[in-house]
């Protein structure tokens, strides 16, 4: 049920009402109240959107009367009347969710025009302006109000008609189309609406406004908005507000214009105003990328007085909101208006730099800086870059719209990118478009990079690129894009679909073929910022999941404080070791098996020595062998095919016998459900020699480092324990091995034995298990799998529909299921601490680098999280935000 007041005039609200008025509405109210030149209007609350869906997609009773009352106030302020033929008030109708979703929902401009008003309007105003505004309005209202019911009433259909008209007239630019031709286009548009819908284009202004408001509410659940919310983890239930605002016109002549600007560079964070504008244009022309705009610095030369007002407005807004702002403005006959502001979307590097600079400038505190940056943005600070000494051929240059470097094959449609790229077949593709629109989102998210012919730094492509960290070159006027290729003007070179190109998002370069890339360095503002994060997270640790010295060194360079998971079986897969492992598995007796294990011991000892050296005294939690042994053998189908090939060729003797023996062994190991079969501690019980060898290798590797003057802190983890007797059985035997190694080496080794809590029974009996374990590490991948009964390997076929249909709020393999799996973790923590107050508690599943999961782990009292090396900075920031009591995400 909505609050009594469902329609708020801008002057009656403020930013504290963000949940009710949406981000845009709250900011329009705030700017109005601090005296900035905002065209008047009103906001229909987010609660009305919720009611709209609750009432079966119908506007609630009485809302229209409240809208009319608010509209009367706007009319009084401006001395114009909505629907009046002589002095019409025209409106914009825009969405405005609590969280910024640029371009994802619908907008209608110039609302209120009809045939009668246009006929009178052309007598007192520039006819070209009037018909241009009317053709825009017909297109936009038809697109948002009717396209969900009629296939050929989309914006694309209208734009195609406009394109055909320009082609017929022999012109390229919209501004070159004369008034009389625009009038004919308006008639053509209306005829198209009648033909496709069977109804005339609506002439009643109130009916137009009602249709536009409903269309905005419906757009909350369009495909692109849904994809965006899913990507940004925004709650589907919060709805959008609708902002109805008096129109000001940037397309009334050469002393009119429109633009979008950021108070700082949204790509780099540099303290310079970044913006673009177009004269004689409306706002959609800038953000849609249909015309390549002018840099805002040109406005300073063209109209110094307006530029000064614009610059002063930027300073006022950044100081008032204490954050970089994204603003939209219009100039109408030399008068400056601001139409909206919001915290600007920025790249990860820009977010860090702006936060650090704002602290240095005294605008915010260090704690506010830490709380302000979304942890996942830090991934962009580590995006690959092209090395400074790399040699490559630049074939075109555009605007550096998105961070990082990308290489891939060219595709020209978003559907093709989605099919082939990330989330599809996993190929590396570069999406090339003349310009992008919100419907291209799925293709952009699937691509390694994006290249557009048109559009500026504030175009849709650039905004999405910065928000999601997609290497992007926009507004590359040096190319001409068609449906299947693009032409490089300077060289005449044609790049076809399937050809390789590379993009340097930092410099706006389009590069021929593939180029090498290297990892970014964690220095400067990034290092300063993460240093602050470490101050706030205190003793809560961040470790890494690493199986090699190289990965360990990388993670430490990114701030890891040890290893939380070293998967010893990963070392078995390397080339020269795999045959030895297979020999061990296929051994006919214990003596053969021990010989193979003795050979493996040499490899593993060196592995652990290298890891302990890289750690330089930091702890390492090392998991003993976990997966079923059949994973180290070839697939039965492959071996059977090889055996058939040998027999078909008439082969005989030893080679056939060995292949047949191997196939029999593999088939003998077959399990119906191997992830719940002979693995983990069960494998250690059945084949104790394997883990005895691993324990010896770990401790002998540690001893070598200690004897050389270093230090090593091994924490030996026994996986998949569901009953304390399993742990006790394995641990007792390994403890005997450990003591023997310590005696042999003649040095003290500070080792511990602990377990992985990944079986629900293990969590429920953690008090019993804690008697035998010095530490717990939660393996949340398996714990999630066994708690839900979902196969981690097969769940992709049904988990997405589960999330789409709100059966689950999020994929539990992406973020910890706090009410189910999380409850088991809480039980284990409480029971473990009750028996062993000093027990060390960590997490090492994939959730260890996911921000909301990190916060959960912090809040239930774990000592550390562990994640892959490149997630370490994210975990450091998320832990700091948890310590500050901030939701890792406000979504």
């Amino acid at each position: 049920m909505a609050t009594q007041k469902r329609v708020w005039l801008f002057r009656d609200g403020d930013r504290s009402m963000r949940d009710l008025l949406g981000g845009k509405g709250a900011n329009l109210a705030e700017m109005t109240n601090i005296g900035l030149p905002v065209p008047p209007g009103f906001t229909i609350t987010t609660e009305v959107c919720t009611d709209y869906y609750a009432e079966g997609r119908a506007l609630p009773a009485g809302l229209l009367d409240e809208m009319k009352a608010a509209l009367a106030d706007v009319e009084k302020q401006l001395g114009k009347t909505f629907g009046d033929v002589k002095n019409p008030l025209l409106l914009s109708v825009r969405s405005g969710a609590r969280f910024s979703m640029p371009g994802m929902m619908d907008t209608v401009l110039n609302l209120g025009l009809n045939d009668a008003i246009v006929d009178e309007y052309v007598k007192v105003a520039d006819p070209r302006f009037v018909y241009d505004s009317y053709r825009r309005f017909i297109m936009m209202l038809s697109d948002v109000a009717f396209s969900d019911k009629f296939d050929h009433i989309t914006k694309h259909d209208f734009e195609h008609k406009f394109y055909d008209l320009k082609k017929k007239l022999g012109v390229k630019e919209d501004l070159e189309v004369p008034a009389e031709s625009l009038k004919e286009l308006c008639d053509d548009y209306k005829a198209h609406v009648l033909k496709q819908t069977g109804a005339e284009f609506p002439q009643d202004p109130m009916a137009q406004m009602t249709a536009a408001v409903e269309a905005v509410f419906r757009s909350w659940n369009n495909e692109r908005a849904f994809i965006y919310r899913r990507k940004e983890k925004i709650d589907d239930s919060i709805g959008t507000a609708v902002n109805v605002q008096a129109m000001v016109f940037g397309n009334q002549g050469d002393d009119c214009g429109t633009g979008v600007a950021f108070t700082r560079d949204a790509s780099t964070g540099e303290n310079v105003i970044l913006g673009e504008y177009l004269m004689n244009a409306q706002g959609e022309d800038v953000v849609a990328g249909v015309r390549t705009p002018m840099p805002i610095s040109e406005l300073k030369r063209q109209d110094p007085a307006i530029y000064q007002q614009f610059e002063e407005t930027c300073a006022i807004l950044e100081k008032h909101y204490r954050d970089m702002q994204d603003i939209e403005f219009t100039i109408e006959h030399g008068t400056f208006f601001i139409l909206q502001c919001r915290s600007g979307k920025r790249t990860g590097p820009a977010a860090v730099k702006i936060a650090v600079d704002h602290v240095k400038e005294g605008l915010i505190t260090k704690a506010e800086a830490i709380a302000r940056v979304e942890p996942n943005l830090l991934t962009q600070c580590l995006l690959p870059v092209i090395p400074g000494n790399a040699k490559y051929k630049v074939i075109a240059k555009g605007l550096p719209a998105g961070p990082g470097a990308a290489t891939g094959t060219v595709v020209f449609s978003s559907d093709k990118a989605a099919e082939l790229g990330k989330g599809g077949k996993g190929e590396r593709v570069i999406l090339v478009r003349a310009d992008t629109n919100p419907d291209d989102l799925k293709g952009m998210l699937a691509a390694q990079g994006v290249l557009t012919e048109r559009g500026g730094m504030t175009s849709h492509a650039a905004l999405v690129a910065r928000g999601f960290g997609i290497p992007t070159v926009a507004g590359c006027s040096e190319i001409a894009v068609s449906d299947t290729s693009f032409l490089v003007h300077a060289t005449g070179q044609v790049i076809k679909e399937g050809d390789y190109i590379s993009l340097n998002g930092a410099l706006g370069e389009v590069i021929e073929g593939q180029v090498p890339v290297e990892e970014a360095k964690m220095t400067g503002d990034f290092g300063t910022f993460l240093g602050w994060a470490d101050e706030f997270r205190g003793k809560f640790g961040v470790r890494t999941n690493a199986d090699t010295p190289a990965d360990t060194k990388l993670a430490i360079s990114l701030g890891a404080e040890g290893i939380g998971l070293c998967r010893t079986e990963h070392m078995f897969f390397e080339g020269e070791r795999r045959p030895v492992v297979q020999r061990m598995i296929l051994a006919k007796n214990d003596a053969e098996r021990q010989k193979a294990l003795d050979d493996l011991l040499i490899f593993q000892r060196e592995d652990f020595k290298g890891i302990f050296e890289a750690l330089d005294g930091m702890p390492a939690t090392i998991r003993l062998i976990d997966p079923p042994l059949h994973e180290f053998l070839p697939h039965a189908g492959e071996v059977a095919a090889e055996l058939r090939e040998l027999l078909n060729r008439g082969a005989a003797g030893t080679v056939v016998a060995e292949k047949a023996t191997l196939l029999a062994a593999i088939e003998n190991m077959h399990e119906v459900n191997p992830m719940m079969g002979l693995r983990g501690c069960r494998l250690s019980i059945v084949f104790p020699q394997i883990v005895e060898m691993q324990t010896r290798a770990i401790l002998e590797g540690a001893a070598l480092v200690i004897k050389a003057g270093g230090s090593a802190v091994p924490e030996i983890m026994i996986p998949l324990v569901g009953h304390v007797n399993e742990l006790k059985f394995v641990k007792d035997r390994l403890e005997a091995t450990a003591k023997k190694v310590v005696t042999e080496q003649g040095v003290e080794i500070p080792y511990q034995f602990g377990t992985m809590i990944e079986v629900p029974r293990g969590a429920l009996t953690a008090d019993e298990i804690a008697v035998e374990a010095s530490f717990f590490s939660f393996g949340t991948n398996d714990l999630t799998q066994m708690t839900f009964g979902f196969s981690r390997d097969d769940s992709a076929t049904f988990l997405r529909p589960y999330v789409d249909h709100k059966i689950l709020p999020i994929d539990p393999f992406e973020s910890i299921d706090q009410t189910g799996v999380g409850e088991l973790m809480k039980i284990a923590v409480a029971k473990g601490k009750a028996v062993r107050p000093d027990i060390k508690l960590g997490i090492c599943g994939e959730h260890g680098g996911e921000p909301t999961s990190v916060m959960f782990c912090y809040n239930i009292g774990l000592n550390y999280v562990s994640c892959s090396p490149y997630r370490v900075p994210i975990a450091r920031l998320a832990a700091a935000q948890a310590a500050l009591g901030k939701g890792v995400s406000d979504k």
Side-chain angles (χ1 to χ4, degrees):
M1 180 63 65
T3 57
Q4 185 176 358
K5 188 171 182 178
R6 297 177 293 192
V7 179
W8 290 74
L9 290 165
F10 291 166
R11 65 169 181 264
D12 294 336
D14 60 53
R15 60 174 152 166
S16 69
M17 301 167 66
R18 183 185 182 93
D19 288 357
L20 189 65
L21 302 180
K24 187 178 295 182
N27 287 338
L28 285 167
E30 188 84 6
M31 290 191 295
T32 298
N33 290 324
I34 65 174
L36 291 175
V38 177
F42 56 88
T43 300
I44 304 168
T45 68
T46 57
E47 291 181 342
V48 178
C49 183
T50 304
D51 286 353
Y52 174 78
Y53 283 101
E55 296 181 18
R57 294 196 173 199
L59 293 179
L63 178 68
L64 192 58
D65 290 336
E66 292 180 54
M67 291 164 57
K68 288 178 178 178
L71 186 57
D73 189 284
V74 176
E75 291 172 334
K76 184 177 179 181
Q77 290 184 63
L78 294 176
K80 297 181 179 182
T81 303
F82 186 59
D84 184 72
V85 174
K86 297 291 186 181
N87 189 24
L89 170 65
L90 301 185
L91 302 170
S92 67
V93 179
R94 301 170 187 249
S95 62
R98 188 187 311 172
F99 304 105
S100 177
M101 297 172 55
M104 295 302 110
M105 289 176 286
D106 290 331
T107 292
V108 178
L109 302 179
N110 310 306
L111 188 140
L113 287 173
N114 59 25
D115 291 350
I117 290 173
V118 167
D119 288 345
E120 289 297 318
Y121 208 176
V122 294
K123 297 175 183 177
V124 296
D126 175 21
R128 192 197 179 284
F129 154 70
V130 177
Y131 293 126
D132 181 55
S133 298
Y134 198 25
R135 68 96 186 166
R136 292 172 186 267
F137 172 53
I138 297 168
M139 175 178 66
M140 295 178 89
L141 184 64
S142 300
D143 176 51
V144 303
F146 310 136
S147 62
D148 59 337
K149 298 177 183 177
F150 302 98
D151 291 339
H152 296 290
I153 202 77
T154 66
K155 188 176 181 180
H156 173 77
D157 297 302
F158 291 101
E159 287 177 335
H160 192 72
K161 288 180 176 295
F162 195 21
Y163 174 82
D164 287 344
L165 174 61
K166 287 187 287 186
K167 187 175 181 181
K168 177 182 175 182
L169 294 172
V171 301
K172 290 186 176 181
E173 297 295 333
D174 296 0
L175 292 175
E176 297 176 284
V177 180
E180 190 59 36
S181 295
L182 287 174
K183 179 182 179 182
E184 293 173 5
L185 183 65
C186 291
D187 292 337
D188 190 17
Y189 278 6
K190 288 182 291 180
H192 181 68
V193 172
L194 176 60
K195 179 181 179 182
Q196 296 299 325
T197 69
E200 298 280 355
F201 180 78
Q203 296 291 303
D204 176 16
M206 285 307 301
Q208 294 172 356
M209 184 158 69
T210 302
V213 169
E214 287 199 66
V216 172
F217 284 148
R218 285 198 304 274
S219 72
W220 173 252
N221 278 333
N222 67 34
E223 183 187 26
R224 62 180 183 266
F226 184 76
I227 292 171
Y228 188 94
R229 289 199 300 275
R230 187 169 67 195
K231 177 74 173 177
E232 289 288 276
K233 296 183 174 63
I234 297 173
D235 186 353
D236 288 327
S237 69
I238 61 176
T240 181
V242 177
N243 297 289
V244 180
Q245 186 174 26
M247 283 290 299
V248 285
F249 299 98
N251 63 327
Q252 274 194 303
D254 292 337
D255 60 345
C256 303
T258 186
V260 176
F262 298 88
T263 56
R264 303 198 180 210
D265 189 320
S267 292
T268 67
E270 186 181 355
N271 188 8
V272 295
I273 295 174
L274 173 80
E276 297 164 330
Y277 75 104
L278 285 168
M279 298 307 289
N280 203 1
Q282 286 197 340
E284 60 171 330
D285 298 333
V286 178
V287 298
V290 295
R291 290 167 59 188
T292 299
M294 303 288 288
I296 199 69
S297 56
E298 184 66 16
L299 182 61
K300 186 175 184 179
R301 183 196 63 78
Q302 188 172 6
D303 194 330
I306 287 289
Y307 184 82
Q308 182 178 350
Q309 191 177 357
F310 158 75
E311 197 171 41
E312 289 169 355
T313 300
C314 288
I316 290 169
L317 286 172
E318 182 157 316
K319 186 174 181 180
H320 183 79
Y321 285 102
R322 300 185 307 129
D323 195 9
M324 184 265 275
Q325 294 296 298
D326 169 0
I327 67 175
E328 182 180 331
F329 65 91
T330 286
I331 305 162
E332 184 180 86
H333 297 310
T335 301
F336 177 82
F337 294 95
I338 182 162
L339 305 185
Q340 72 171 47
C341 79
R342 59 191 173 194
S343 292
K345 293 288 184 184
R346 62 205 78 177
T347 66
V352 169
K353 178 168 178 53
I354 290 169
V356 171
D357 285 351
H358 277 165
V359 171
K360 293 176 180 177
E361 294 162 19
L363 274 182
I364 60 175
T365 64
K366 288 196 288 187
E368 288 174 310
I370 292 301
R372 182 169 288 176
V373 177
E374 184 72 24
N376 282 321
L377 277 179
L378 297 189
T379 302
Q380 297 177 24
C381 298
L382 301 170
L383 285 173
V385 296
I386 296 174
N389 60 355
K391 289 181 169 51
Y392 54 83
K393 180 182 178 182
V394 176
I395 56 176
K397 291 198 73 172
L399 299 172
T407 292
T409 56
V410 170
V411 296
F412 290 90
S413 82
S414 293
D415 288 340
K416 190 73 171 287
E419 175 193 347
L420 297 179
K422 292 176 282 189
K425 296 182 179 178
E427 298 177 15
R428 303 175 70 85
V429 299
I430 305 292
L431 176 62
V432 180
R433 304 281 286 157
D435 53 69
T436 66
N437 61 59
D439 290 329
D440 290 316
L441 180 64
K442 62 183 178 182
M444 296 178 71
L445 293 175
Q448 298 295 321
V450 175
L451 169 64
T452 69
E453 175 187 348
R454 298 191 293 268
M457 293 293 285
T458 55
S459 65
H460 170 265
L463 286 174
V464 171
R466 285 193 289 275
F468 293 127
I470 305 167
T472 296
V473 177
C476 185
S477 58
E478 297 179 7
I479 65 172
V481 178
S482 71
D483 291 338
T484 57
S485 66
F486 71 82
L487 169 69
V488 181
H489 293 313
T491 64
Q493 184 176 3
V494 175
I495 306 295
K496 301 183 296 298
E497 188 155 281
D499 290 345
Y500 272 97
I501 64 167
S502 301
L503 303 177
N504 186 343
L507 298 177
E509 296 174 332
V510 183
I511 299 164
E512 185 178 62
Q514 302 181 67
V515 296
V517 295
E518 66 180 12
E519 304 305 330
K521 304 293 191 299
M522 196 180 70
T523 56
D525 290 328
F526 192 36
T528 298
F529 181 77
L530 286 176
W532 294 346
D534 292 341
E535 290 176 24
F536 290 111
R537 69 180 169 92
K539 294 182 180 179
F540 187 79
V542 176
R543 298 192 190 183
T544 190
N545 301 341
D547 314 316
T548 67
D551 283 348
T552 304
K553 290 174 183 175
L554 171 63
I556 291 171
S557 74
L558 297 173
E561 298 161 319
I563 289 178
L565 177 62
C566 176
R567 305 172 182 89
T568 55
E569 66 273 0
H570 282 197
M571 302 167 178
F572 288 170
F573 284 106
E574 293 187 22
E576 58 183 329
R577 305 169 190 208
R578 193 158 190 160
V580 182
V581 174
Q582 293 177 358
R583 182 157 47 89
M584 179 267 294
I585 294 170
L586 299 172
K588 298 183 181 64
N589 53 55
D590 285 346
E592 281 188 16
R593 178 167 290 110
Q594 190 60 53
K595 175 64 174 67
L597 288 170
D598 290 343
D599 292 341
L600 284 174
L601 172 65
I602 299 170
F603 291 122
Q604 290 239 287
R605 181 170 56 219
E606 285 302 307
D607 290 332
F608 294 123
K609 175 177 175 287
I611 287 172
F612 287 129
E613 287 173 340
L615 286 169
D616 194 23
M618 296 178 187
T621 302
I622 301 168
R623 185 182 71 186
L624 299 176
I625 190 168
D626 180 45
L629 291 180
H630 73 79
E631 289 194 10
F632 301 99
L633 298 175
H635 291 294
E638 295 175 6
V639 178
E642 291 170 359
L643 181 58
R644 284 195 300 273
E645 176 68 18
L646 287 170
L647 294 173
N648 288 339
R649 295 203 320 256
T654 303
V655 65
V656 172
E658 288 178 349
K659 193 68 70 175
T661 301
L662 175 60
L663 179 60
I666 294 170
E667 290 174 340
N668 188 52
M669 289 183 183
H670 173 74
E671 294 178 298
V672 174
N673 191 349
M675 292 309 292
M676 300 183 76
L678 183 58
R679 54 170 289 222
C681 64
R682 305 158 198 167
L683 192 58
S684 302
I685 291 168
V686 175
F687 297 108
Q689 307 101 308
I690 300 174
V691 288
E692 287 170 4
M693 178 278 291
Q694 289 190 312
T695 300
R696 174 172 286 278
I698 292 166
L699 297 179
E700 286 183 354
L704 289 171
V705 172
I706 294 169
K707 288 178 179 179
S711 53
V713 185
E715 299 168 350
I716 303 172
M717 184 160 65
I718 299 166
L720 213 71
V721 167
H723 195 291
V724 65
N725 288 345
E726 293 174 311
L727 176 60
K728 183 169 173 36
F729 182 89
V730 176
K731 179 190 166 189
D732 285 350
R733 282 154 180 76
L734 297 185
E735 189 70 73
T737 298
K739 288 178 179 177
K740 188 174 181 181
V741 172
V742 169
T743 300
E744 292 170 357
Q745 297 297 319
V747 293
E748 288 298 318
I749 306 173
Y751 67 87
Q752 294 179 329
F753 284 102
T755 191
M756 209 167 187
I757 301 293
E758 50 191 330
V759 176
R761 192 183 189 282
L764 294 171
T765 60
D767 49 344
E768 298 175 4
I769 291 174
V771 173
E772 299 293 334
S774 297
F775 63 87
F776 291 165
S777 181
F778 289 95
T780 50
N781 298 337
D782 269 319
L783 188 58
T784 297
Q785 180 171 237
M786 295 189 184
T787 300
F788 274 99
F790 290 164
S791 165
R792 189 175 18 152
D793 297 324
D794 302 315
S795 60
T797 58
F798 61 82
L799 269 181
R800 180 48 58 199
Y802 266 52
V803 175
D804 290 348
H805 297 306
K806 311 296 189 300
I807 297 168
L808 291 174
I810 195 167
D811 183 339
F813 291 108
E814 292 179 11
S815 184
I816 290 174
D817 162 47
Q818 297 183 16
T819 56
V821 175
E823 280 300 308
L824 288 172
M825 294 174 68
K826 288 180 185 178
I827 291 168
V829 168
K831 287 192 169 189
K833 285 185 174 180
V835 171
R836 191 185 290 266
D838 63 345
I839 192 167
K840 191 180 297 183
L841 302 167
I843 178 178
C844 59
E846 293 301 316
H847 300 102
E850 194 276 318
T852 57
S853 301
V854 173
M855 171 167 253
F856 176 75
C857 293
Y858 180 94
N859 289 334
I860 67 171
L862 301 196
N863 300 105
Y864 68 86
V865 294
S866 186
C867 54
S868 61
Y870 285 111
R871 303 292 291 180
V872 167
I874 293 171
R876 290 166 67 187
L877 177 55
Q881 292 182 349
L884 289 167
K886 176 191 181 293
V888 172
S889 171
D890 289 328
K891 302 179 179 71

